[in-house]
Each structure stands twice: as structure tokens, then as C-alpha cells.
Amino acid sequence: MKRKKNTRFNLKPRTVAVIIIATIIGSMGGFLNDTLYDFSAVDENKITIKHINSIHDGDTINITTHNNKKVKIRLYGIDAPELKQPFGEQSRLCLEEMIKNQNISYIPRDKNKSTDKYGRTVAVIFKGNTNINLEMVKKGCAWNYMYYNKSLYTIFAQITAKNKKAGLWADNNPQAPWDYRKQTKQ
């Protein structure tokens, strides 16, 4: 017997399975805490960025705040290809294109812990009310880092980018940055 193709949404069975699994994972925890980071955040929680000093790669930037504090920010919940990895430089340029010469702000992910083990502030950055972290995944410029980010919005953004073969997903077999780092022991 031939299966009837789902023409309404035109989703592959594997994609439907991933969405169902993502929904289950999201309901298990983390989802409600992450929703703020996928929509416009409350403006009074945002820290305004005075100047972007450098864009290291697709998930790390150096900035100066309006009170002249220098901060290294690691974008929460995403992992961009390493610079020496395929699509690494394109990922950095994608981030640069979105934030260079723009009014940018950020919200630290964990207000109780100021930095990660590398001295970076883990944060979500915004251009107005646009979540740049989420946009990086939507454009196929970074992976959702499922180990840390179980937000259904970001999971779905990655599935959509992958189905559209956007950015790094144009490659038939892109290598996840965490696998690349393990392989090269960075």
C-alpha cells in the first residue's frame, strides 16, 4: 500500500519525527526558561553596547558597554563553525553583517554567574527586539547548541534552515563545531 504524502505542510517523515522529539525534549525542561531569549526581551533588562570592538567568529564578540566596560560575549545557545572549519569565515561575516554599525544590546544568560570558564559573558544579543542568536540559526550561520539550548524556537529554526539548505546546511554533510573541536583537539 502506498503512503499518502502530506501535501498540506509538505514535511518529510524524518522532519516530523524531529519536531515531535523536540517537542518532548522542550516539555521536559528548559523551554519555559528560554522563551524570553527567543522573543523580544524586556528593554530594562538589556545592556546597551556602545561599540563592537571585534567579531572573533560566529558566536563570540568583544564589545564596550556605555559605561566603558569591555566585555567578551559568547552567544548563548548556538555554536558557530570554527574559523578554520568549512563555513567558519562565512559564519563570522554573517554575524558581522547583522550587527556591525547597529544599535546592539545584550542580556546575560545567567545573572548569578558573570562569566563562563573562558572568562566570557554568555548572553543573548539583540538588534532592537531581534534576537541575533536565533537569527544566526535561522540563516544557517550557526548550529543550535542542544546541550545548552532546548528552546523549541531555536530547534525549529535549525530544522527549517536545514530543510532550506541555508548557509552551512548547503553542504551535504556539515560537521558540527563540537565534533570538529574534538577531532582537532581545540
Side-chain angles (χ1 to χ4, degrees):
M1 179 168 29
K2 197 172 185 180
R3 285 178 88 168
K4 184 179 176 186
K5 188 175 180 182
N6 182 345
T7 56
R8 183 170 180 194
F9 295 106
N10 201 19
L11 297 174
K12 296 176 185 171
R14 187 173 109 184
T15 303
V16 173
V18 170
I19 291 170
I20 291 168
I21 291 167
T23 303
I24 293 167
I25 291 169
S27 66
M28 291 169 54
F31 170 69
L32 292 175
N33 293 334
D34 290 341
T35 56
L36 170 66
Y37 298 95
D38 290 317
F39 293 111
S40 61
V42 180
D43 283 337
E44 61 262 15
N45 292 333
K46 292 180 182 176
I47 300 168
T48 306
I49 296 173
K50 178 180 177 181
H51 185 260
I52 298 168
N53 303 325
S54 66
I55 300 169
H56 177 71
D57 57 23
D59 58 30
T60 307
I61 62 175
N62 293 297
I63 60 103
T64 303
T65 64
H66 272 288
N67 61 0
N68 293 321
K69 180 180 176 189
K70 292 186 188 276
V71 179
K72 188 172 198 172
I73 296 177
R74 169 66 164 86
L75 277 64
Y76 165 76
I78 69 170
D79 201 2
E82 299 297 327
L83 290 174
K84 292 181 180 177
Q85 187 178 353
F87 205 78
E89 183 59 27
Q90 293 94 320
S91 176
R92 189 190 73 73
L93 292 171
C94 183
L95 180 59
E96 180 177 343
E97 184 180 299
M98 282 193 275
I99 66 173
K100 197 78 169 185
N101 300 319
Q102 301 291 322
N103 292 324
I104 304 295
S105 57
Y106 73 96
I107 298 178
R109 177 69 177 124
D110 187 350
K111 291 179 177 69
N112 298 324
K113 183 179 171 189
S114 60
T115 61
D116 67 5
K117 66 182 180 179
Y118 301 107
R120 305 171 299 189
T121 297
V122 178
V124 178
I125 60 173
F126 294 90
K127 177 171 67 176
N129 285 330
T130 301
N131 178 333
I132 298 299
N133 303 35
L134 180 61
E135 289 299 310
M136 287 291 288
V137 175
K138 280 183 180 179
K139 291 179 181 245
C141 295
W143 298 67
N144 175 44
Y145 208 163
M146 277 290 288
Y147 183 79
Y148 297 103
N149 186 3
K150 294 173 181 50
S151 163
L152 291 181
Y153 302 105
T154 313
I155 293 167
F156 187 72
Q158 180 166 305
I159 292 167
T160 304
K162 190 172 184 177
N163 285 338
K164 290 180 179 178
K165 296 195 178 295
L168 64 92
W169 300 109
D171 186 335
N172 288 333
N173 193 21
Q175 185 178 31
W178 49 87
D179 291 336
Y180 178 83
R181 287 189 296 270
K182 239 187 259 182
Q183 180 183 342
T184 59
K185 295 187 173 135
Q186 287 187 354

